Amino acid sequence: MAFDENYFRTHTYKDVSFARFSQYWWSNRFYAHLARHYGRTGRLLEIGSGLGHLVGQLEGRFETFATDINAWALVQSKPVTRHTPHSLASAEELPFRDGVFDIVIIKHVVEHLLHPERAIAELGRILAPGGTLILSAPNLSSV
């Protein structure tokens, strides 16, 4: 199935609370903690960055980069990711050089892909030797 930008724009975040102490807030705080604890410093990429709340928390600590398949989400993320370059790209075909990132975060993305094996290969390609991968796939039966 093709990516439906209209659905994303109108439905995906419809009932999500972004308030402090919401599930969304705690989730981003958790992944930011993992990045700070295991990644320490360096170049960080969030794949599927959505509205940018996670990567925005990591600006300043890391040299941050964000990518998403949805142009609307990347535009919406700019107010919270002022110092982060954004790329419109699929996790299955990333526009980055080999071994360029020290930390890669990809959460709740892989299980939605038609070819998750391509994304996994791309993660290995762009991650620097000894780098940190933070991957979350809550629906493992779809991978």
Side-chain angles (χ1 to χ4, degrees), residues 3 13 24 39 47 66 81 87 111 115 118-119:
F3 177 73
Y13 291 111
Y24 181 84
I47 300 170
T81 58
S87 300
E111 71 272 17
H115 303 285
R118 291 182 190 167

Side-chain angles (χ1 to χ4, degrees), residues 108-130:
H108 303 236
V109 172
V110 175
E111 71 272 17
H112 298 285
L113 302 174
L114 290 175
H115 303 285
E117 69 282 0
R118 291 182 190 167
I120 300 299
E122 282 291 271
L123 297 173
R125 183 184 67 76
I126 64 167
L127 196 60

Side-chain angles (χ1 to χ4, degrees), residues 5-64:
E5 188 166 333
N6 186 53
Y7 174 82
F8 185 92
R9 187 176 316 162
T10 58
H11 294 89
T12 300
Y13 291 111
K14 183 177 139 191
D15 297 319
V16 174
S17 170
F18 301 111
R20 188 173 184 164
F21 304 120
S22 68
Q23 181 179 355
Y24 181 84
W25 183 86
W26 280 113
S27 173
N28 283 327
R29 185 178 163 111
F30 172 73
Y31 288 105
H33 173 76
L34 290 176
R36 287 184 201 107
H37 182 76
Y38 293 104
R40 311 272 187 222
T41 60
R43 300 180 97 198
L44 179 143
L45 171 67
E46 183 183 7
I47 300 170
S49 57
L51 299 179
H53 295 115
L54 172 57
V55 74
Q57 287 184 45
L58 297 167
E59 286 185 342
R61 173 72 178 263
F62 300 97
E63 183 182 356
T64 54

Side-chain angles (χ1 to χ4, degrees), residues 74-140:
L74 291 173
V75 169
Q76 300 304 308
S77 73
K78 295 218 184 237
V80 296
T81 58
R82 291 186 181 102
H83 306 290
T84 298
H86 300 83
S87 300
L88 182 65
S90 167
E92 296 173 358
E93 192 174 339
L94 295 166
F96 304 107
R97 296 185 325 266
D98 295 359
V100 72
F101 293 105
D102 302 294
I103 306 144
V104 175
I105 301 172
I106 180 169
K107 59 186 182 71
H108 303 236
V109 172
V110 175
E111 71 272 17
H112 298 285
L113 302 174
L114 290 175
H115 303 285
E117 69 282 0
R118 291 182 190 167
I120 300 299
E122 282 291 271
L123 297 173
R125 183 184 67 76
I126 64 167
L127 196 60
T132 300
L133 172 64
I134 300 171
L135 184 147
S136 171
N139 184 7
L140 290 175

